[in-house]
């Protein structure tokens, strides 16, 4: 999607601090619980299961129930792939202020496993393991799901 704005983790932090953006972490619930950007909400694009990752069929419904279409939202994941898909889906659903945080939480890796661009955590930005009201279970309940 050519018109989707992408920013570095440092730029995302600045937008959160200075312009009131919300960080929407679209990683699975276990990934989010292990550590996420401070203040981030978790609405997984995919769920981790015994057979691997499976699409979350409620992703857009939960997002629509929680955030107005003009909400300022930065979307992030582990390395930038899921967040790109989630941000594109949100823009297609009418969201007008969505920004994708490239490099995700950990950063993309090359064929040898080396991080090619540091994500939020390796960049030294604030991380926490619990955000009151930010877990998917809490957000789903707020969304009436």
């Amino acid at each position: 999607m050519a018109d989707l704005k992408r920013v570095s983790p440092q730029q995302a932090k600045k937008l959160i601090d200075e312009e009131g953006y919300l960080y929407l972490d679209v990683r699975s619930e276990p990934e989010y619980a292990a550590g996420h950007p401070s203040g981030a909400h978790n609405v997984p694009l995919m769920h981790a299961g015994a057979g691997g990752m499976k699409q979350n069929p409620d992703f857009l419904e939960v997002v629509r129930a929680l955030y107005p279409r003009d909400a300022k939202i930065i979307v992030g994941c582990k390395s930038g792939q899921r967040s790109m898909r989630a941000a594109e889906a949100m823009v297609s659903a009418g969201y007008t202020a969505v920004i994708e945080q490239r490099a995700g939480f950990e950063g993309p890796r090359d064929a040898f496993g080396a991080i090619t661009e540091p994500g939020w955590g390796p960049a030294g930005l604030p991380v926490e393991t619990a955000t009151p009201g930010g877990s998917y279970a809490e957000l789903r309940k707020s969304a009436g799901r």
Side-chain angles (χ1 to χ4, degrees), residues 37-124:
S38 294
H41 287 185
N42 179 224
V43 179
L45 181 67
M46 303 185 84
H47 291 300
M53 298 293 257
K54 295 195 182 347
Q55 190 72 30
N56 175 2
D58 296 329
F59 174 75
L60 271 178
E61 289 177 39
V62 172
V63 167
R64 282 186 188 120
L66 294 171
Y67 313 108
R69 288 205 175 31
D70 63 350
K72 295 177 177 181
I73 299 174
I74 293 172
V75 182
C77 64
K78 180 178 176 179
S79 65
Q81 303 218 358
R82 283 175 279 176
S83 58
M84 196 63 180
R85 291 201 329 257
E88 288 173 350
M90 291 171 67
V91 168
S92 292
Y95 281 81
T96 58
V98 172
I99 296 175
E100 193 265 340
Q101 188 235 290
R102 66 173 197 270
F105 188 75
E106 294 181 12
R109 296 180 182 270
D110 65 17
F112 303 102
I115 293 175
T116 58
E117 179 181 6
W120 186 282

Side-chain angles (χ1 to χ4, degrees), residues 23-36:
Y23 193 103
L24 183 64
D25 189 328
V26 299
R27 294 178 301 155
S28 68
E29 292 174 86
E31 289 171 304
Y32 175 84
H36 54 268

